[in-house]
Amino acid sequence: MNYFLKIVLFCIFTSLTGCTTLKTEHHITLDHTITIKIEKEVDDFLDDLYEDEE
């Protein structure tokens, strides 16, 4: 009986943990407005810098 109980418990354990499906969701949001603002500020700075020299 002890042997039979071990087999049954082992089968229950493996059936519960053997085919577990995990669902994950990934959301990636990219914000390019910050990069555009920085590039615009750098361009404006360089334009102002080189305008004064001429």
Side-chain angles (χ1 to χ4, degrees), residues 9-35:
L9 288 176
F10 177 76
C11 290
I12 290 172
F13 178 74
T14 55
S15 66
L16 290 176
T17 59
C19 297
T20 305
T21 304
L22 298 176
K23 181 179 177 184
T24 58
E25 295 181 15
H26 302 282
H27 298 283
I28 299 173
T29 324
L30 298 175
D31 187 13
H32 295 290
T33 58
I34 295 173
T35 306

Side-chain angles (χ1 to χ4, degrees), residues 43-54:
D43 287 343
D44 289 346
F45 175 77
L46 289 175
D47 287 344
D48 291 343
L49 185 71
Y50 289 118
E51 271 183 3
D52 291 341
E53 289 184 2
E54 292 176 1

